[in-house]
Amino acid sequence: MRVLVVEDERTMADAIARGLRRQGMAVDVAYDGLQGHEMAYVTRYDVVVLDRDLPGMHGDEICAALVESGALTRVLMLTASSTVADRVEGLQLGADDYLAKPFAFEELVARVQALGRRATPAAPPVLTVGDLVLDPARRVVTRAGVTLDLTNKEFGVLEVLLRARGGVVSSEELLDRVWDANTDPFTTTVRVTVMTLRKKLGDPPLIETVVGAGYRVPEAVVAS
């Protein structure tokens, strides 16, 4: 899941980003409204965690612009005000959810995860191909009943490939969906991650390389 945190309180923004990354999410951070608005249009995020009172460009304007663009991005609006009127106003602007400061981090994570599920086309809660089972909610992958020990990036790559339902996913798209903006676009990290993931998945091989296009997991894989 790709998340953008737009929050001018740097300590809070960085803390939110660190916490979401520990949950396996790819997270970018903007510290003012203008930067956040630009980043939200350059990259398609699943969820934007958006502070309402921002310098440069108000959170309300960013939210309204995202809604008007028709993007699938979901918006979780943060505010220091907890009045009903403010919550209603934020939701009327098009925010998908609203969280008042201070908040419990566990609740923020749960809300971001719920919004992330709504930001992508409907897919089975548990993704299955042959004897491979990936449970996004529990972040567990098994093959032939054996639990696999995957890194966050390996899990993310596998989830993107399975959600493509047999379609080809390019290295660029994997980099965009699983890694954050600090990753060098010319890095070999995608190729290396796919290589280690293949080894962990074992035989018969599941991930195919489509030369010049990317990778795919055929839906018709049959377990031996």
Side-chain angles (χ1 to χ4, degrees):
M1 185 191 306
R2 191 78 181 266
V3 179
L4 173 63
V5 176
V6 189
E7 167 63 66
D8 63 313
E9 294 181 26
R10 288 177 175 259
T11 301
M12 176 176 289
D14 293 342
I16 291 173
R18 285 194 302 271
L20 294 178
R21 286 172 185 143
R22 284 196 293 268
Q23 299 298 315
M25 303 178 200
V27 185
D28 296 329
V29 180
Y31 300 110
D32 64 66
L34 289 175
Q35 182 188 24
H37 179 263
E38 180 180 355
M39 292 175 70
Y41 276 85
V42 170
T43 302
R44 189 185 76 78
Y45 292 97
D46 297 297
V47 179
V48 174
V49 179
L50 180 65
D51 185 34
R52 191 170 187 185
D53 297 310
L54 291 166
M57 184 174 185
H58 198 277
D60 289 358
E61 295 179 74
I62 299 174
C63 180
L66 281 171
V67 172
E68 185 178 350
S69 73
L72 292 175
T73 302
R74 303 299 179 180
V75 177
L76 171 58
M77 190 170 281
L78 304 179
T79 181
S81 176
S82 60
T83 66
V84 173
D86 278 326
R87 290 199 298 271
V88 169
E89 185 178 2
L91 294 170
Q92 287 178 336
L93 285 167
D96 298 279
D97 202 353
Y98 205 92
L99 191 58
K101 302 175 184 177
F103 50 80
F105 185 74
E106 293 79 4
E107 182 179 4
L108 173 70
V109 170
R111 289 174 183 251
V112 170
Q113 290 173 332
L115 290 177
R117 290 192 290 270
R118 292 167 51 192
T120 55
V126 175
L127 303 170
T128 304
V129 173
D131 61 354
L132 178 74
V133 179
L134 183 148
D135 186 337
R138 295 171 55 228
R139 295 193 65 79
V140 172
V141 177
T142 62
R143 187 164 194 194
V146 178
T147 301
L148 305 181
D149 183 18
L150 303 184
T151 66
N152 285 333
K153 298 307 182 188
E154 291 164 352
F155 186 97
V157 166
L158 183 59
E159 183 176 5
V160 171
L161 291 174
L162 293 181
R163 288 191 184 278
R165 301 183 182 184
V168 177
V169 182
S170 68
S171 294
E172 292 77 14
E173 184 176 353
L174 286 172
L175 195 66
D176 182 62
R177 303 305 303 150
V178 181
W179 281 265
D180 59 36
N182 295 318
T183 305
D184 181 355
F186 300 104
T187 183
T188 61
T189 188
V190 173
R191 180 173 60 81
V192 172
T193 300
V194 170
M195 180 178 66
T196 58
L197 177 57
R198 278 184 171 131
K199 291 179 180 178
K200 291 183 180 182
L201 292 175
D203 294 318
L206 289 175
I207 302 175
E208 294 182 352
T209 298
V210 181
V211 179
Y215 305 94
R216 70 180 174 192
V217 174
E219 288 193 283
V221 171
V222 178
S224 60

